[in-house]
Amino acid sequence: MERAYIEDVGKHIGEEIEIRGWVYNKRSSGRVRFLLVRDGTGIIQATTYSKGKDNPLFREFDRLTQESSVIIRGRIKEEKRAPGGYEMELAEISPVQISENYPITPKEHGVGFLMSNRHLWLRSSRQHAILRIRHEIIRSIRDFFDNEKKFTLIDAPILTPAACEGTTTLFDTDYFGEKAYLSQSGQLYMEAAAMAFGKVYCFGPTFRAEKSKTRRHLMEFWMVEPEIAYFKLDDDIALAEELVEFIVKRVVEKRGEELLKLERNVEILKKIERPFVKMSYDEAIETLKKEGFHIKWGDEIGGDEETVLASKFESPMVLHRFPAAQKAFYMEPDPERPELSLSFDLLAPEGYGEIIGGSERISNYDLLLERIKENKLPGEAFKWYLDLRKYGSVPHSGFGMGIERTIAWIAGIKHVRETIPFPRLLYKIYP
Ligand code: 4AD
Ligand code: MG
């Protein structure tokens, strides 16, 4: 008998097959027993009837509890009323292990409880839908850079000798008697790689010891970071727009079922198209003042402000040219107004805020050295980075897209904690 996955049962109508999975649910109705089995690829309804006399399958059916592991065998038929549209007529039920007192029951549980049972919560259909969308988004990003744009993937190190995005959010560790830090961003290494390969990206976990307990912050998150030689700020923004549009289209096309499960309004996603609205930091401050915010030039545009700005548009929007003083040391100043940096943030609509941050990088040796000193960064650790400005320096730009924030927006999930299999949250590192 052939073993099949539930996602493929449609190819086996009229055949007897074996499915290996877990009990999702079961119920009885008169002489019929309904077993819902999941195998990670879907859920199938399996049924058996009592035909007047004793049905030996009922004894096995009665032993099964929620999340018991089980192998079932039987004939597949079409059944419009069953979830998925197919049903198995049970010929055999073989329990593998009987689960006792599974903690997550179909009743409502608090999120704290569910998070402490994250290792089991992953089995629920909602988490399943979110993580399948995560996979699709990651796949589409790789497809975009690998196949559409012909970038080279260059992996950045995780253990690093210095900070990239400010010294206040570093996780440090002992590296044979020296201090090392978990990477906040692979960018500096991508700059070296861009000078070698022209257009590159890295895609990996990054770490921020951010004492923020918001719906947008994780201590460990995944970021994709392209870096391109001879790219100016406008080229960089255009690439970010193209990437975002590409991802949204792909998820809408391939993950309709999951979006439906999450009750995501897909019509909103279908309307997303380039070009996105561009607004300078100066204009944003003026707009926010008109909206009644007590904000002045030089202030940070925080989460609430981002929500107000971005909710004016259906597609994402781009804020650009932030004051240099509030941005990272490596950003190229605007030649027309050196108090500004050639930087941008891409904000998702519907209140999700910044999902991408990027900039043109300083290409002049002396200016970069000055910025490293001003920021009191350890000169020794940045020697190699300065080298890039000594040997064939060129204008170059890149950006970083946070995967979890992107998933939260596209899947319509309020908090990023559900968008990563095992979130690292403030003071919480279990499971
Ligand atoms: O704006 P950020 O800090 O930019 C950089 O790290 C640059 N070095 C990237 C580059 O130019 N190569 O972070 C980029 C993105 C943010 O827009 C956000 O989506 C995400 O990373 N991000 C976080 N996501 C979850 N939790 C956090 N604590 C995050 N911090 C940043
Ligand atoms: Mg940022």
Side-chain angles (χ1 to χ4, degrees):
M1 188 180 304
E2 199 177 329
R3 182 210 172 176
Y5 281 101
I6 294 168
E7 64 186 355
D8 296 326
V9 291
K11 298 179 198 150
H12 296 279
I13 296 166
E15 292 169 28
E16 283 224 339
I17 58 162
E18 173 182 289
I19 285 169
R20 304 176 188 177
W22 295 263
V23 175
Y24 190 69
N25 214 338
K26 65 174 195 178
R27 67 193 162 85
S28 311
S29 168
R31 288 141 63 103
V32 198
R33 300 289 179 271
F34 296 94
L35 191 60
L36 284 177
V37 171
R38 57 164 198 89
D39 74 347
T41 73
I43 294 177
I44 191 158
Q45 174 170 299
T47 53
T48 182
Y49 298 82
S50 77
K51 296 147 199 136
K53 52 184 184 335
D54 184 42
N55 178 346
L57 287 185
F58 278 19
R59 247 168 291 141
E60 300 298 354
F61 179 92
D62 289 342
R63 286 175 63 207
L64 293 174
T65 53
Q66 191 192 349
E67 286 306 320
S68 287
S69 38
V70 65
I71 296 174
I72 53 173
R73 299 188 185 92
R75 193 173 304 282
I76 299 296
K77 62 169 198 192
E78 274 187 284
E79 173 54 72
K80 292 273 172 305
R81 290 165 299 176
Y86 303 99
E87 188 176 75
M88 176 185 270
E89 290 170 342
L90 281 166
E92 211 180 319
I93 301 176
S94 306
V96 178
Q97 190 253 333
I98 300 298
S99 151
E100 281 180 51
N101 303 322
Y102 186 68
I104 303 176
T105 55
K107 70 164 190 177
E108 287 277 311
H109 294 286
V111 79
F113 174 83
L114 290 167
M115 269 301 163
S116 67
N117 283 291
R118 183 67 173 165
H119 53 300
L120 303 175
W121 192 20
L122 293 181
R123 302 178 188 195
S124 81
S125 57
R126 177 182 154 86
Q127 298 311 312
H128 222 261
I130 298 170
L131 293 181
R132 286 249 183 160
I133 291 173
R134 178 186 173 100
H135 183 198
E136 196 63 55
I137 288 175
I138 292 173
R139 188 161 32 199
S140 69
I141 290 168
R142 293 206 179 276
D143 190 25
F144 181 80
F145 286 114
D146 294 344
N147 302 322
E148 301 282 316
K149 298 287 170 190
K150 307 267 189 289
F151 277 46
T152 301
L153 171 74
I154 301 287
D155 301 308
I158 300 289
L159 288 166
T160 61
C164 175
E165 294 297 319
T167 49
T168 56
T169 63
L170 286 169
F171 278 111
D172 57 24
T173 180
D174 175 67
Y175 196 78
F176 307 111
E178 274 181 58
K179 246 196 187 153
Y181 307 95
L182 298 184
S183 176
Q184 297 168 312
S185 157
Q187 179 198 318
L188 306 187
Y189 297 96
M190 289 309 103
E191 290 183 52
M195 300 308 140
F197 294 85
K199 39 185 181 171
V200 299
Y201 74 101
C202 63
F203 197 166
T206 44
F207 306 85
R208 307 268 169 105
E210 265 178 295
K211 297 234 164 89
S212 330
K213 205 175 172 178
T214 78
R215 66 193 191 91
R216 298 172 182 182
H217 285 93
L218 292 162
M219 305 302 125
E220 178 178 323
F221 63 96
W222 284 64
M223 181 154 61
V224 58
E225 295 181 272
E227 190 72 31
I228 313 93
Y230 291 103
F231 244 39
K232 307 288 283 177
L233 179 65
D234 288 347
D235 306 317
D236 204 29
I237 293 174
L239 183 70
E241 290 178 86
E242 207 179 331
L243 171 65
V244 170
E245 191 189 77
F246 185 88
I247 298 171
V248 172
K249 283 211 158 72
R250 181 63 68 82
V251 174
V252 168
E253 181 194 331
K254 302 260 187 196
R255 293 291 159 195
E257 208 176 295
E258 283 79 5
L259 292 169
L260 186 69
K261 166 81 209 166
L262 298 170
E263 294 171 15
R264 179 65 166 115
N265 183 339
V266 181
E267 293 314 308
I268 295 184
L269 295 178
K270 282 186 184 155
K271 284 191 203 140
I272 285 168
E273 61 174 19
R274 292 174 293 155
F276 302 158
V277 171
K278 321 276 187 309
M279 189 186 278
S280 70
Y281 171 88
D282 288 0
E283 291 166 320
I285 294 293
E286 288 314 309
T287 307
L288 288 165
K289 278 182 185 161
K290 284 194 202 113
E291 294 282 340
F293 279 91
H294 292 285
I295 194 164
K296 57 180 191 313
W297 199 95
D299 289 347
E300 295 256 359
I301 294 179
D304 294 341
E305 289 86 354
E306 284 179 357
T307 299
V308 167
L309 290 171
S311 62
K312 294 185 182 304
F313 312 103
E314 283 185 331
S315 284
M317 71 175 296
V318 172
L319 288 180
H320 59 91
R321 293 178 172 76
F322 291 86
Q326 52 171 258
K327 287 287 182 186
F329 74 94
Y330 52 70
M331 291 185 181
E332 183 75 35
D334 186 338
E336 281 160 30
R337 285 176 57 197
E339 73 277 18
L340 299 179
S341 58
L342 293 179
S343 54
F344 79 97
D345 280 358
L346 188 142
L347 312 184
E350 301 175 74
Y352 284 92
E354 179 196 338
I355 58 170
I356 293 181
S359 69
E360 202 172 315
R361 326 302 192 186
I362 293 176
S363 56
N364 177 274
Y365 183 93
D366 294 323
L367 179 59
L368 184 60
L369 182 62
E370 197 181 305
R371 287 291 155 84
I372 288 173
K373 285 185 179 153
E374 272 169 24
N375 284 271
K376 300 194 173 55
L377 294 166
E380 205 38 44
F382 284 95
K383 215 173 139 291
W384 70 266
Y385 186 61
L386 280 158
D387 267 357
L388 304 175
R389 280 71 184 170
K390 259 166 56 182
Y391 306 113
S393 190
V394 299
H396 61 289
S397 305
F399 61 81
M401 168 187 263
I403 299 310
E404 289 74 17
R405 290 187 189 176
T406 305
I407 301 164
W409 160 53
I410 294 177
I413 306 300
K414 201 160 166 31
H415 199 297
V416 289
R417 67 188 161 209
E418 284 182 67
T419 65
I420 184 164
F422 293 97
R424 307 290 79 155
L425 299 164
L426 191 59
Y427 307 125
K428 277 203 200 97
I429 192 164
Y430 176 91

